[in-house]
Amino acid sequence: MVLEIVPGEAPLWRYWGPKLPEGALPPAPLRDGRTAAPFSLEFDQPLSLFPTFGIGTFGESALLAHRDGRDFAQAFTDTGVRWLEPEQAVAITLTDPVAQLTVEISLSLDPMSDVLTLSSRLTNDGPGVLDVQWLASGVTPLPGSAERVMFPSGRHANEFIACETGLGRAGWRRENRRGLTSHDAFPGAVATLPGATAHGGVAYGAQLAWSGNHLQSIQWLDDAGYQWMAGAWLAPGEVRLATGESLSSPELLATVSEEGWNGVAQNFHAAIRRRMSWPGGSMTPRPVHLNTWEGVYFDHDLAEMQALATTAAELGVERFVLDDGWFHRRTDDCRALGDWHPDADKYPDGLAPLASHVTALGMEFGLWVEPEMINEDSDLFRAHPDWALQIAGRPLLTGRNQLVLDMGRREVGDHLFDALSRLLSTLPIGYLKWDHNRDLTTAGGADGVARYRSQVLGTYALLDRIREAFPQVEIEACAGGGGRIDAGILNRTHRVWTSDCIDARSRVAIQRGFLQFMPPEIMGAHVGAFTAHSTGRSQALAFRAGVAAPGHFGLELNAKILAPAEKAELAQWIALHKAWRGRLHSGRVWLGDAGDSLPWQAHGEADALLLFLYRIEPSTLRRPPTLRLPMLDRGRVYRVLRVDPPDPHGHPMLSAPALDAMRADGLEVHGAWLAEVGLPIPPMQAETSAVFSVTAL
């Protein structure tokens, strides 16, 4: 990236794109190469690092604010530059002496991930309250040749669905006002230049590290380029800065790659990994889960739970997570949220007998909580009805029969910290599944002011307190599945529940959308029941396991009722995942499509890959196509070995000597051949998978 510092105004954008050779700098100031434009102001105003409204820039502003209707137009005429790390991190201070405002913009370009991180901090230096409607986290240029923007959308139980639209003069804009990251408007996107593919060409990506309302936009500028901007969306009256007060934006992560949108994904994966904070300082192998929710729902019984834990341990499970239904009077989803102590009927001696049984089996004990939520039918609500977000005179709108606690209130945070601390200090809990099962509505505080932003900050603060007090505990971010997945929550958590849909066919697309922005080791991916509870579709165990295996692998079923043959098959898949998770969870990820309903993904590095191939629909061809692997070294020879357990229930498929070799000692193939011609694919029925090790010799 290249900025031009110009006296009397904010820095001008000169370049953000593929790496330039050392010394490749602009030959002259930007305006020396720009003629006057017809019917324009005499003072030329190109795209700056912080464009503003009302002083001659007609694109979207990085700031919308006023003091009682005045100081609505800002111009930053004093600039200070302070290197935090030479050529990698800089703080730029902008001052408007007329509107009496200061903005500090932080930029860092990480050479390990090629990710640019931007954030801004606004300070009210003048008299009177400053009402802030909008503060961008960052503004970056995008070439005028950008032709497409790809972004995920969806809904509960069908998140991260790939969407795409062309870029033109109308631009592109996405807003989220649900109060949390949301299932339908993930705060990120990928923009591509002509010729870009999954594996090559120039692609840009951006995502916001924020777990609340947000806005992202790409707007056409009248000098043949675009500006890309993102930040937290603010509700009316939500931010009012007194003299001397400041507003800090969330961080914006942005990157560019010449290796297509797979390169963008790999850059993001590297950046997210570097941002995460693990107990002990580094990630350990991701434990195989069993989560009880779809296995038992609210039907808890100590003896049955202990039996389920025993079965899980026999299968090779390493972490047993007790989901919803364990606490006081929690017999359905209509009551008891907020009353975080064990139900005396289900667990007369508390959770200690179950937790001790789990840990004695060599597994870690995990527990589900939903701290930010409250039911009207709860002891907590009866004691503190004012703690719920609400607007005086408006009805209490419930979702999943629940209301939302005002996380910006100190007494709420203190109460929840105390309740969670009692559990964490008296039980051997190594893992919290932290859920959030509704959008925010009537989100006002006791003073009637909107609380969306403070809600996110209050939740962050509680998570930080828990992490500090119990540093050994890992936390999963869940929000009705994938409703709170973003780089902000991942500064404080260690896993996300990708979706409440465990239907393997749906999960192929959901997980591919997720992997565009997030690494696989935090992607909660479970083997569900034969008939998926969210869709009613039925799928073979081998397919369910093959789809779940690349992520943070787990089970979400009643393993006690499986037939012996199913248990044996499932144990094989668990062993396979454990054997390969080091490669799955530390390297790069490539996503591709062989055509004919055959998506694939590869994990690892170019000399040692684990390749997953999925057949979604029946083939339309007499013989399947070959699978090209363009990331391989064209100067090396590879051994390809098929490693997934044979499906004992699948219909026998035709084979051939090369396919048989992959099931035996492996097939040796030149890297150039695999890259340009491709790997022969075995015949596969619809909704089946195959897993290959591809290793350079």
Side-chain angles (χ1 to χ4, degrees):
M1 57 167 290
V2 179
L3 294 171
E4 180 180 333
I5 306 299
V6 182
E9 58 185 304
L12 303 179
W13 272 109
R14 297 302 307 267
Y15 182 78
W16 178 47
K19 288 181 181 178
L20 301 174
E22 196 68 29
L25 295 173
L30 176 60
R31 291 188 177 95
D32 285 7
R34 292 163 63 101
T35 62
F39 202 76
S40 295
L41 299 173
E42 279 76 17
F43 180 59
D44 177 25
Q45 298 193 44
L47 179 64
S48 78
L49 184 62
F50 199 80
T52 54
F53 169 75
I55 46 80
T57 299
F58 299 104
E60 284 193 90
S61 177
L63 174 65
L64 295 173
H66 67 91
R67 286 192 191 87
D68 195 24
R70 298 178 177 84
D71 294 324
F72 64 88
Q74 300 90 28
F76 293 93
T77 55
D78 296 329
T79 299
V81 177
R82 177 167 52 95
W83 283 104
L84 306 176
E85 188 172 353
E87 299 186 354
Q88 291 184 21
V90 65
I92 297 178
T93 302
L94 307 175
T95 305
D96 181 345
V98 176
Q100 299 182 70
L101 302 174
T102 299
V103 171
E104 182 172 276
I105 302 172
S106 298
L107 306 99
S108 62
L109 187 54
D110 177 21
M112 303 300 292
S113 65
D114 278 344
V115 167
L116 171 67
T117 301
L118 308 95
S119 63
S120 55
R121 179 179 176 86
L122 169 70
T123 301
N124 178 14
D125 299 322
V129 172
L130 183 75
D131 284 282
V132 184
Q133 178 183 339
W134 164 249
L135 174 65
S137 294
V139 177
T140 64
L142 195 62
S145 59
E147 64 177 5
R148 292 182 297 162
V149 58
M150 303 184 297
F151 58 96
S153 187
R155 61 168 177 82
H156 171 248
N158 204 9
E159 301 89 341
F160 287 100
I161 301 307
C163 301
E164 181 179 318
T165 188
L167 278 175
R169 291 191 174 231
W172 172 83
R173 186 181 185 92
R174 293 278 283 163
E175 295 186 27
N176 165 54
R177 294 174 290 277
R178 294 182 178 273
L180 73 165
T181 318
S182 87
H183 298 84
D184 62 313
F186 176 81
V190 174
T192 60
L193 271 55
T197 67
H199 309 292
V202 177
Y204 290 76
Q207 59 173 305
L208 191 67
W210 180 242
S211 307
N213 295 334
H214 54 261
L215 180 155
Q216 48 182 333
S217 71
I218 299 174
Q219 185 187 34
W220 174 258
L221 303 176
D222 61 6
D223 53 1
Y226 293 94
Q227 73 171 45
W228 197 345
M229 181 169 67
W233 186 93
L234 301 176
E238 188 169 17
V239 176
R240 307 187 75 231
L241 301 179
T243 302
E245 290 185 336
S246 299
L247 169 66
S248 295
S249 78
E251 291 181 321
L252 176 64
L253 280 60
T255 191
V256 59
S257 174
E258 293 182 275
E259 298 180 3
W261 51 87
N262 276 333
V264 169
Q266 291 162 11
N267 291 352
F268 279 146
H269 294 183
I272 295 294
R273 285 166 171 163
R274 287 169 63 81
R275 291 167 61 90
M276 292 185 68
S277 171
W278 293 95
S282 61
M283 185 187 77
T284 57
R286 300 294 75 219
V288 175
H289 276 215
L290 184 141
N291 192 71
T292 64
W293 177 240
E294 287 198 8
V296 301
Y297 291 106
F298 297 106
D299 188 16
H300 287 221
D301 175 84
L302 176 58
E304 290 297 313
M305 286 294 188
Q306 289 175 326
L308 179 58
T310 299
T311 301
E314 292 169 349
L315 293 172
V317 170
E318 299 162 305
R319 178 183 281 160
F320 183 91
V321 183
L322 185 67
D323 209 290
D324 196 357
W326 60 268
F327 50 98
H328 178 58
R329 297 193 313 113
R330 185 66 164 175
T331 55
D332 54 33
D333 63 6
C334 298
R335 71 199 81 250
L337 283 174
D339 301 339
W340 300 110
H341 52 93
D343 183 79
D345 293 330
K346 299 175 183 179
Y347 299 99
D349 297 313
L351 296 179
L354 176 59
S356 297
H357 181 77
V358 168
T359 56
L361 291 167
M363 294 186 295
E364 184 180 88
F365 182 65
L367 191 65
W368 179 95
V369 290
E370 194 174 5
E372 297 147 87
M373 299 296 153
I374 186 171
N375 287 126
E376 291 179 90
D377 183 4
S378 68
D379 294 342
L380 182 61
F381 184 81
R382 284 183 282 272
H384 299 286
D386 59 308
W387 284 8
L389 291 172
Q390 55 195 283
I391 298 175
R394 304 288 185 191
L396 292 173
L397 300 177
T398 56
R400 199 177 180 246
N401 305 299
Q402 60 199 54
L403 301 170
V404 185
L405 290 169
D406 184 351
M407 298 298 292
R409 292 179 65 157
R410 181 174 180 82
E411 60 267 40
V412 171
D414 290 344
H415 171 84
L416 292 174
F417 178 78
D418 290 343
L420 294 173
S421 294
R422 281 193 295 273
L423 293 166
L424 292 167
S425 60
T426 58
L427 292 166
I429 298 171
Y431 185 84
L432 282 178
K433 180 181 178 183
W434 190 301
D435 215 338
H436 184 300
N437 275 312
R438 60 155 292 176
D439 300 328
L440 271 58
T441 55
T442 58
D447 55 3
V449 175
R451 303 289 279 176
Y452 295 93
R453 181 174 178 272
S454 67
Q455 187 74 6
V456 177
L457 297 178
T459 299
Y460 284 173
L462 179 58
L463 285 164
D464 290 342
R465 288 178 71 183
I466 293 294
R467 289 287 311 279
E468 183 178 3
F470 303 94
Q472 79 285 359
V473 175
E474 290 189 13
I475 301 175
E476 172 184 316
C478 177
R484 188 157 62 184
I485 297 175
D486 61 82
I489 203 70
L490 285 169
N491 284 342
R492 299 160 174 86
T493 58
H494 311 95
R495 184 190 203 248
V496 293
W497 183 225
T498 321
S499 176
D500 277 347
C501 176
I502 318 180
D503 178 309
R505 179 168 173 172
S506 296
R507 269 294 186 122
V508 171
I510 292 170
Q511 294 178 182
R512 288 166 72 84
F514 174 95
L515 290 170
Q516 180 61 60
F517 299 93
M518 301 294 175
E521 62 269 24
I522 64 169
M523 182 178 73
H526 291 180
V527 178
F530 173 71
T531 299
H533 294 191
S534 57
T535 66
R537 289 194 295 222
S538 298
Q539 294 142 351
L541 177 57
F543 184 57
R544 287 176 276 149
V547 171
H552 188 168
F553 189 70
L555 313 180
E556 188 107 6
L557 44 73
N558 189 344
K560 297 193 285 66
I561 65 174
L562 295 177
E566 291 177 300
K567 291 180 180 178
E569 185 181 1
L570 190 52
Q572 282 186 295
W573 277 100
I574 291 173
L576 175 85
H577 175 81
K578 289 180 178 179
W580 292 101
R581 62 186 166 189
R583 184 177 298 184
L584 289 169
H585 295 162
S586 63
R588 293 185 284 174
V589 178
W590 290 266
L591 303 176
D593 197 314
D596 193 35
S597 299
L598 287 165
W600 59 267
Q601 61 193 67
H603 296 241
E605 298 299 337
D607 60 349
L609 293 172
L610 203 63
L611 171 67
F612 290 80
L613 176 65
Y614 304 110
R615 173 161 287 291
I616 305 302
E617 297 283 354
S619 177
T620 60
L621 306 173
R622 293 181 63 201
R623 295 179 182 84
T626 56
L627 194 164
R628 295 178 60 240
L629 298 172
M631 79 291 288
L632 297 184
D633 187 335
R634 285 162 168 76
R636 303 186 72 174
V637 174
Y638 290 79
R639 174 175 285 117
V640 183
L641 184 68
R642 186 168 178 183
V643 297
D644 56 303
D647 183 355
H649 310 291
H651 183 78
M653 303 299 290
L654 296 173
S655 190
L659 304 177
D660 292 337
M662 285 189 271
R663 270 293 192 194
D665 297 327
L667 179 69
E668 292 189 11
V669 193
H670 200 282
W673 188 266
L674 288 171
E676 298 297 339
V677 180
L679 179 71
I681 293 176
M684 299 166 63
Q685 291 182 299
E687 298 186 2
T688 59
S689 61
V691 187
F692 305 87
S693 167
V694 182
T695 307
L697 298 177

